[in-house]
Amino acid sequence: MAKSRKKKEEINLDELDINQLLNEAVATSRLGRALASLGATLTGREKHDAGLVYLLLKAGKEYSGKFPVVAEIKDVPELKKYTPKEAIDWFAGRYPKEAGPLLKKLEEEYTKPKTEINYGLRKNKDLSDSLYIETLSQILNISDDRARVLYHGIIKPYLDQQEEESKLVSITIKEN
């Protein structure tokens, strides 16, 4: 069965406003990276704590029923497909002579050109708080009030404490 491919949307460059798009790209980058960093810190702690909870449960420790939390250890069968690496390792182990050229190719390195775009804030400049709030509201589809609380209460203090050497961001552009 052939996969249906979504037709690439035609972009009319004459209709686009580079200033609006650049402001949005920088605002969403700074806001998203701040939230992602905070989220990564929290989920990192979650993984650490979950590992300790697992060890305690496995050791027979019981938790109190006074709290609104529960935990259990379950062994669940997981149906997985072999990764390409696992398949290559299996093939190489079973047919070492035939796998030689493939293993040799895997060890080779090659250079692939890439295109980057750098964008960000000018030195000692920033976007307005109202633009950040408007961006949060529009992109996250939340009320201006919620966006204002999120920005002033969480994101802005986080951004203010970051001592970034450069406020430029690099993203690799994949060209067809």
Side-chain angles (χ1 to χ4, degrees), residues 17-28 117-120 127:
D17 179 351
I18 190 168
N19 295 312
Q20 185 271 331
L21 285 171
L22 184 54
N23 278 334
E24 182 176 285
V26 171
T28 54
I117 178 173
N118 294 325
Y119 57 90
L127 299 170

Side-chain angles (χ1 to χ4, degrees), residues 101-110:
L102 178 60
L103 295 173
K104 184 178 176 190
K105 187 68 173 175
L106 288 174
E107 290 179 5
E108 290 179 11
E109 293 180 358
Y110 66 98

Side-chain angles (χ1 to χ4, degrees), residues 44-107:
R45 176 58 65 97
E46 171 205 4
K47 288 177 183 176
H48 172 265
D49 291 352
L52 294 176
V53 168
Y54 171 77
L55 291 174
L56 289 169
L57 287 174
K58 195 159 177 114
K61 297 276 186 167
E62 292 188 19
Y63 56 88
S64 170
K66 295 178 183 177
F67 298 101
V69 295
V70 297
E72 67 177 333
I73 296 174
K74 287 172 58 173
D75 289 320
V76 181
E78 181 179 6
L79 183 61
K80 292 181 71 172
K81 291 194 175 202
Y82 287 100
T83 65
K85 182 188 179 336
E86 291 169 333
I88 291 168
D89 289 346
W90 170 83
F91 187 83
R94 194 136 196 218
Y95 308 102
K97 290 180 184 175
E98 292 85 347
L102 178 60
L103 295 173
K104 184 178 176 190
K105 187 68 173 175
L106 288 174
E107 290 179 5

Side-chain angles (χ1 to χ4, degrees), residues 77-147:
E78 181 179 6
L79 183 61
K80 292 181 71 172
K81 291 194 175 202
Y82 287 100
T83 65
K85 182 188 179 336
E86 291 169 333
I88 291 168
D89 289 346
W90 170 83
F91 187 83
R94 194 136 196 218
Y95 308 102
K97 290 180 184 175
E98 292 85 347
L102 178 60
L103 295 173
K104 184 178 176 190
K105 187 68 173 175
L106 288 174
E107 290 179 5
E108 290 179 11
E109 293 180 358
Y110 66 98
T111 302
K112 181 179 176 187
K114 65 179 185 176
T115 304
E116 291 184 349
I117 178 173
N118 294 325
Y119 57 90
L121 298 171
R122 296 180 193 275
K123 189 171 179 132
N124 299 322
K125 299 285 184 181
D126 203 344
L127 299 170
S128 68
D129 289 350
S130 61
L131 179 70
Y132 285 121
I133 293 165
E134 180 183 330
T135 300
L136 283 170
S137 178
Q138 289 178 358
I139 302 295
L140 298 179
N141 197 24
I142 60 175
S143 70
D144 287 346
D145 288 340
R146 284 186 167 186

